[in-house]
Amino acid sequence: MIRVVLVDDQALMRAGFRALLDAEDGIEVVGEAAGGDEGVGLVRERVPDVVLMDVQMPGTSGIEATRRIAADPALAGVRVVMLTNYGLDEYVFEALRAGASGFLLKDSEPEDLLTGIGVVARGDALLSPSVTRRLIGAFVARPPDRATAPGLECLTPREREVTALAARGLTNEEIAAHVVISPFTAKTHISRAMTKLGARDRAQLVVFAYESGLVAAGTTDASRGGT
């Protein structure tokens, strides 16, 4: 059973999500909140598997609420999915930086929402390689923020190489072909890099790679493959 908390200031939106999720076997809505502060408190009380968090709310924003959840060691297993009307924009990037595991548009198809909750509950990032490429394409012009970026000195040369390729939107299979290793080995390198950098998932690994300057604007593969 996947336990979900809903955080959105619009009661009608929460009601719609609850109706959809309550009708699905294997998903249980264990609480809902109308604001960021209330949402953080509820998450600490219920410790759900997944939080569906609105980006923009009066008072404490969804991004700040996500940052608090991600920073709480007692909530290390909680995954936050941001809900937005705006797609790939500054809000989404800041949400990923804050610790969100991905995002969904509020007008997504019901099956996409249900699939996304399952993906995040398994510990994966709700960012497909194609979406990662689009995200990169939207933010490659941003200068590295080395003041807040984690140090990459702890990574081995291979881990740095694989991290850079992941940040350019390559799948494990594509990374394996590029470096001439097995997909399993590529996945292992990525997992170790995430552990060393304290990244909650692959989405944060992408953010870390850009903020540290490991991947520069001119090296993106955003134009290749699907969008």
Side-chain angles (χ1 to χ4, degrees):
M1 183 67 69
I2 300 174
R3 304 171 72 252
V4 177
V5 160
L6 306 173
V7 184
D8 195 304
D9 62 313
Q10 299 180 43
L12 187 60
M13 188 65 67
R14 296 197 310 273
F17 282 128
R18 177 180 277 277
L20 173 64
L21 299 180
D22 281 346
E24 186 71 13
D25 292 336
I27 297 178
E28 177 186 10
V29 177
V30 297
E32 50 182 273
D37 285 336
E38 181 186 357
V40 173
L42 184 61
V43 169
R44 286 172 175 161
E45 175 187 341
R46 305 290 170 82
V47 193
D49 302 299
V50 176
V51 180
L52 296 182
M53 178 81 72
D54 188 21
V55 170
Q56 289 184 295
M57 294 180 288
T60 299
S61 70
I63 293 174
E64 176 57 29
T66 297
R67 185 176 291 110
R68 295 180 189 175
I69 292 169
D72 190 336
L75 303 177
V78 177
R79 296 291 178 260
V80 179
V81 175
M82 305 303 299
L83 299 171
T84 175
N85 291 315
Y86 306 103
L88 293 169
D89 58 13
E90 183 71 12
Y91 294 114
V92 171
F93 186 82
E94 293 301 326
L96 295 175
R97 174 186 284 166
S101 293
F103 69 94
L104 284 167
L105 295 177
K106 287 188 175 182
D107 61 357
S108 296
E109 295 295 326
E111 57 266 28
D112 291 337
L113 173 64
L114 297 173
T115 298
I117 289 174
V119 167
V120 172
R122 291 195 301 269
D124 295 328
L126 191 55
L127 285 176
S128 67
S130 63
V131 171
T132 301
R133 291 172 188 139
R134 289 162 57 198
L135 181 67
I136 291 168
F139 294 104
V140 289
R142 295 172 60 97
D145 185 5
R146 290 186 174 86
T148 60
L152 297 177
E153 300 81 7
C154 60
L155 301 184
T156 66
R158 179 66 85 190
E159 288 166 352
R160 288 169 63 94
E161 181 180 19
V162 169
T163 296
L165 293 172
R168 293 171 191 158
L170 274 67
T171 65
N172 290 343
E173 290 73 19
E174 290 170 334
I175 292 171
H178 186 92
V179 184
V180 193
I181 56 178
S182 72
F184 177 80
T185 300
K187 181 178 180 180
T188 298
H189 284 311
I190 289 173
S191 296
R192 288 175 177 168
M194 287 170 52
T195 298
K196 290 180 179 180
L197 295 174
R200 291 166 65 91
D201 52 41
R202 197 181 186 109
Q204 272 207 309
L205 195 65
V206 172
V207 174
F208 288 168
Y210 275 88
E211 290 192 330
S212 67
L214 177 63
V215 179
T219 61
T220 178
D221 283 22
S223 61
R224 80 173 183 81
T227 56

